[in-house]
């Protein structure tokens, strides 16, 4: 049920955000299930964790910060870089280049870049990304046939998107963790909950 729901949400995201410059959610990956509370025999106490990989939108690139040894730090930042897209316009695509078109024309004709929406400075912000996803889920949920049978209740969370689904006497909790993949490896930096005081631009290494 969860993975089917995530596939449907991802499709709506891609359609609804096709002309914007937000991160592009990829097919979700089931990570694990954990018991929450003191009643592991109660299905309502199970929390299903799902990893949602994020790809950069057109005209953007993600770079994971490296330490001096050239290996990925356990705690790192996702730097967002603007790329030249002039060739895409020459090929007939309706997209202005963030680097080479006048700012006034960009403001008038095109949605803002990711740097001006979900970033703090040049880095992808975990909390801004989660807040954006929460807002979109509220709208996307109403477009799903599942909304006629399941009740969605969003739960507050700063670094993950957490919600409860319930139907009749059935209920379970889903926690979405966002991640950026390191190349083609099995390593991601993720929005997994961190210790207090960790900056919102910090992403944690996970497998």
């Amino acid at each position: 049920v969860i993975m089917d729901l995530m596939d449907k949400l991802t499709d709506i995201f891609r359609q609804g955000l096709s002309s914007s410059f937000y991160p592009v959610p990829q097919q979700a990956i089931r990570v694990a299930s954990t018991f929450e509370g003191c009643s592991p025999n109660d299905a309502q106490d199970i929390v299903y964790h799902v990893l949602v990989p994020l790809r950069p939108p057109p005209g953007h690139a993600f770079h994971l910060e490296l330490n001096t040894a050239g290996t990925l730090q356990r705690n790192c930042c996702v730097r967002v870089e603007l790329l030249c897209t002039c060739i895409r316009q020459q090929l007939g695509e309706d997209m202005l280049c963030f680097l080479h078109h006048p700012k006034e024309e960009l403001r008038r004709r095109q949605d803002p870049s990711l740097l001006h929406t979900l970033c703090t400075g040049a880095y992808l912000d975990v909390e801004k990304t989660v807040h954006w996803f929460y807002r979109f889920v509220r709208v996307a949920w109403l477009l799903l046939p599942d909304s006629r049978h399941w009740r969605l209740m969003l739960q507050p969370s700063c670094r993950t998107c957490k919600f409860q689904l319930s139907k009749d006497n059935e209920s379970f909790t889903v926690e979405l963790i966002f991640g950026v993949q390191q190349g083609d490896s099995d390593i991601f930096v993720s929005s997994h909950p961190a210790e207090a005081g960790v900056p919102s631009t910090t992403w944690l290494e996970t497998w």
Side-chain angles (χ1 to χ4, degrees):
V1 171
I2 295 170
M3 301 312 294
D4 179 62
L5 172 63
M6 290 309 305
D7 287 342
K8 293 175 182 176
L9 278 176
T10 299
D11 286 342
I12 292 178
F13 263 80
R14 288 173 179 165
Q15 295 172 24
L17 302 172
S18 59
S19 60
S20 67
F21 299 98
Y22 287 103
V24 183
Q26 304 299 300
Q27 186 173 22
I29 303 169
R30 180 174 174 180
V31 179
S33 303
T34 59
F35 291 111
E36 189 173 72
C38 302
S39 305
N41 293 324
D42 188 345
Q44 295 186 17
D45 286 332
I46 301 178
V47 180
Y48 297 93
H49 301 278
V50 177
L51 176 68
V52 179
L54 299 176
R55 293 280 178 86
H60 298 70
F62 289 159
H63 298 286
L64 306 186
E65 294 278 321
L66 302 178
N67 62 18
T68 55
T71 58
L72 191 67
Q73 297 175 352
R74 181 165 179 77
N75 298 345
C76 72
C77 298
V78 178
R79 181 167 56 84
V80 176
E81 179 190 11
L82 293 178
L83 304 176
C84 176
T85 57
C86 291
I87 187 66
R88 300 181 66 150
Q89 189 176 32
Q90 294 171 12
L91 295 174
E93 293 189 30
D94 185 21
M95 178 181 173
L96 304 180
C97 179
F98 284 112
L99 294 177
H100 299 116
H101 275 82
K103 292 183 179 179
E104 184 59 38
E105 186 179 8
L106 287 168
R107 281 195 295 266
R108 189 174 67 252
R109 295 182 50 193
Q110 190 160 272
D111 286 344
S113 75
L114 181 57
L115 286 171
H116 293 96
T117 54
L118 303 185
C119 289
T120 295
Y123 297 101
L124 188 63
D125 190 295
V126 172
E127 294 182 11
K128 290 180 181 179
T129 301
V130 169
H131 185 63
W132 157 72
F133 202 89
Y134 266 127
R135 294 200 316 268
F136 199 93
V137 166
R138 286 190 179 95
V139 177
W141 176 251
L142 300 177
L143 302 177
L144 294 179
D146 304 72
S147 63
R148 295 195 295 266
H149 310 291
W150 291 90
R151 179 172 176 263
L152 175 75
M153 184 170 64
L154 296 173
Q155 300 178 350
S157 178
C158 291
R159 293 183 61 92
T160 62
C161 183
K162 198 172 184 179
F163 56 85
Q164 184 181 58
L165 290 171
S166 57
K167 178 179 66 173
D168 300 328
N169 295 323
E170 189 176 1
S171 176
F172 53 84
T173 300
V174 181
E175 185 171 29
L176 304 184
I177 303 167
F178 303 101
V180 176
Q181 189 175 11
Q182 182 189 17
D184 295 325
S185 71
D186 293 328
I187 302 174
F188 287 80
V189 292
S190 75
S191 67
H192 197 276
E195 297 177 0
V198 173
S200 60
T201 52
T202 297
W203 297 69
L204 307 182
E205 182 181 307
T206 187
W207 295 80

